[in-house]
Amino acid sequence: NDPEIVSELGKILIETLESKGILSCAKHFPGLGEAKVDPHYRLPKIDIEKEIIEKKHLLPFKKAIEANTSSVMTSHILFPSLDSEHIVTFSRKIAHDILRKELSYKGLLVSDDMEMGAVTNDVTIPEACVTAAKSGHDILIIGQKSVSNAISSVRELEFALNNCYLNEEEHFNSLKKIEDILNIADIKSVITKNIEYPKDKAFLMANEISYKSVKKIRDSQKLLPLKNEQKLRVFIPDITPVSDWVLFEPEWYNPVKMANLITGRNDSEIIMTSLETGKNYDLTSSTETNIVVLYNATDKKGQREILEQINKLTERVIVIIVHNFWDQELIPQQATIIETSGFRISQLKGVRQFL
């Protein structure tokens, strides 16, 4: 909420990373903080005045540029006061006129993942890549949904370049910037040999950071902290459908361990929930409090359905958001919400401080 503090902390982080040979990236330009929807799925629109954007949202990027960040990443978002026709990814006004000219940024400009819903709901990925390149991006990110998306996009970019739709001079300038940055990012040259890193200290620090990142978003019914005599029902998501591309720790595959590490108790009723749709749950057994570990309800219909079923049964619901903080928009108003900022075990253990 304080652009001055964010700018100063960002500047320190960037300068530290770059001084150690680690390339930094300032994102998501020109600011994603006031988005109400997740661009992974839908296009956010931030309708605020240009003066506010300049004073609040651009300040951290100005400091990042002063700190010589190696790259800046844009966002799939619409800022009508900056460009009423194009999202940032496709906007020459924003990527070139504002970032390059007004802010004097000379480094690499990187797109966000072109497979995100904010883009693909309206255009094909190859079309999006060409438009993003034309707006001034040097690097275009295509995630892991389909190799064919990358191949078809490269072909579309080649066609656009050969037919003068893309500026040839800008194209070769982009290649030169990429080559220069790769020469700097020589990992062998920045790692000190024969040094013993304090692994135990680093592990403890990581755990402390994870613990402090857990937040209580709301508890309007004063359900927290729990009383020891309360009966608990804990809903654990079956993460198998996404485990081929998301790395989960072993505890995720043991629902008893998961319930125990979150609650600190071993007497909870445990129900496995589905990421997919079409599953009804037996909620007839008596219990006092329901604890729902929610994994990406924004995208997973099965996770939204469990919220709906529980909401009809009882108001004593504690929801633990472990993947997508935008899920809180889907959670019933009376429910208590704890947000872990991630799904690592060290973060899940941090939930106990509130329970």
Side-chain angles (χ1 to χ4, degrees):
N1 293 329
D2 190 326
E4 295 285 350
I5 294 176
V6 172
S7 300
E8 188 60 30
L9 292 176
K11 185 173 183 288
I12 293 170
L13 177 60
I14 289 168
E15 288 175 341
T16 303
L17 292 173
E18 297 285 346
S19 69
K20 303 298 181 182
I22 302 172
L23 305 183
S24 61
C25 180
K27 62 177 190 176
H28 296 83
F29 186 84
L32 188 58
E34 295 195 32
K36 302 301 181 184
V37 298
D38 186 349
H40 285 87
Y41 309 105
R42 291 181 291 159
L43 175 63
K45 178 181 178 181
I46 299 182
D47 203 357
I48 55 179
E49 296 177 359
K50 184 176 180 179
E51 292 74 17
I52 297 176
I53 297 172
E54 291 175 344
K55 291 180 181 179
K56 182 177 181 181
H57 298 279
L58 293 188
L59 183 59
F61 291 99
K62 291 178 181 178
K63 292 295 183 180
I65 293 170
E66 288 178 12
N68 294 317
T69 183
S70 293
S71 60
V72 170
M73 179 183 287
T74 55
S75 178
H76 307 315
I77 195 166
L78 182 65
F79 278 92
S81 62
L82 301 181
D83 189 332
S84 60
E85 297 181 6
H86 305 101
I87 65 173
V88 175
T89 314
F90 301 155
S91 174
R92 183 81 176 179
K93 290 181 182 178
I94 298 174
H96 183 269
D97 296 350
I98 295 177
L99 182 59
R100 296 291 192 192
K101 289 187 175 180
E102 293 182 19
L103 302 186
S104 302
Y105 177 62
K106 307 298 182 185
L108 280 174
L109 185 57
V110 186
S111 79
D112 208 339
D113 186 1
M114 304 301 285
E115 291 184 327
M116 290 164 65
V119 172
T120 58
N121 290 340
D122 296 312
V123 295
T124 67
I125 293 173
E127 290 172 336
C129 285
V130 171
T131 308
K134 189 175 179 66
S135 74
H137 288 78
D138 302 300
I139 295 178
L140 306 172
I141 294 179
I142 296 179
Q144 55 186 353
K145 291 182 180 179
S146 173
V147 175
S148 63
N149 286 333
I151 295 173
S152 58
S153 296
V154 169
R155 290 172 178 168
E156 192 74 15
L157 287 163
E158 289 177 338
F159 179 84
L161 184 63
N162 292 335
N163 288 273
C164 302
Y165 184 74
L166 294 178
N167 184 291
E168 187 175 43
E169 182 180 356
E170 289 188 0
H171 169 68
F172 285 107
N173 284 340
S174 292
L175 295 181
K176 180 65 166 57
K177 281 185 282 188
I178 294 170
E179 182 181 3
D180 289 344
I181 212 74
L182 288 176
N183 289 333
I184 295 173
D186 182 0
I187 192 65
K188 293 180 181 179
S189 68
V190 300
I191 294 182
T192 305
K193 296 181 179 179
N194 303 320
I195 183 171
E196 293 185 7
Y197 294 95
K199 295 181 180 179
D200 292 341
K201 185 177 180 180
F203 180 78
L204 291 173
M205 183 182 295
N207 276 344
E208 182 180 359
I209 293 171
S210 298
Y211 187 87
K212 290 182 177 180
S213 71
V214 180
K215 301 180 290 291
K216 179 173 66 176
I217 303 298
R218 69 169 181 249
D219 184 24
S220 56
Q221 296 192 81
K222 308 297 182 184
L223 301 183
L224 304 175
L226 298 174
K227 298 177 181 178
N228 290 332
E229 63 272 15
Q230 283 182 317
K231 293 181 180 180
L232 302 180
R233 180 191 283 133
V234 183
F235 296 83
I236 306 292
D238 176 9
I239 43 78
T240 306
V242 295
S243 61
D244 58 337
W245 61 278
V246 179
L247 181 62
F248 292 96
E249 290 154 292
E251 287 86 346
W252 272 97
Y253 300 95
N254 188 323
V256 174
K257 282 188 176 181
M258 280 287 287
N260 290 354
L261 72 87
I262 290 171
T263 65
R265 294 168 51 171
N266 57 12
D267 58 350
S268 305
E269 177 188 355
I270 300 172
I271 294 181
M272 295 296 292
T273 63
S274 173
L275 301 187
E276 313 302 333
T277 184
K279 184 173 181 179
N280 293 315
Y281 302 92
D282 181 9
L283 306 178
T284 56
S285 60
S286 62
T287 189
E288 293 186 4
T289 303
N290 296 274
I291 300 176
V292 182
V293 179
L294 194 66
Y295 186 90
N296 200 11
T298 301
D299 186 46
K300 305 299 181 184
K301 189 175 181 180
Q303 294 293 282
R304 295 196 295 275
E305 288 182 345
I306 187 60
L307 285 177
E308 295 167 1
Q309 292 182 42
I310 293 175
N311 189 42
K312 293 177 182 177
L313 178 71
T314 178
E315 293 184 347
R316 296 188 61 84
V317 179
I318 300 170
V319 180
I320 302 170
I321 301 175
V322 299
H323 179 75
N324 190 340
F325 72 86
W326 269 286
D327 283 356
Q328 60 185 281
E329 301 294 328
L330 304 172
I331 298 171
Q333 283 298 315
Q334 73 273 13
T336 294
I337 302 178
I338 299 173
E339 206 268 310
T340 63
S341 300
F343 54 85
R344 298 302 169 201
I345 297 306
S346 56
Q347 292 165 310
L348 295 177
K349 287 179 179 178
V351 172
R352 288 191 205 173
Q353 64 188 294
F354 299 110
L355 300 182

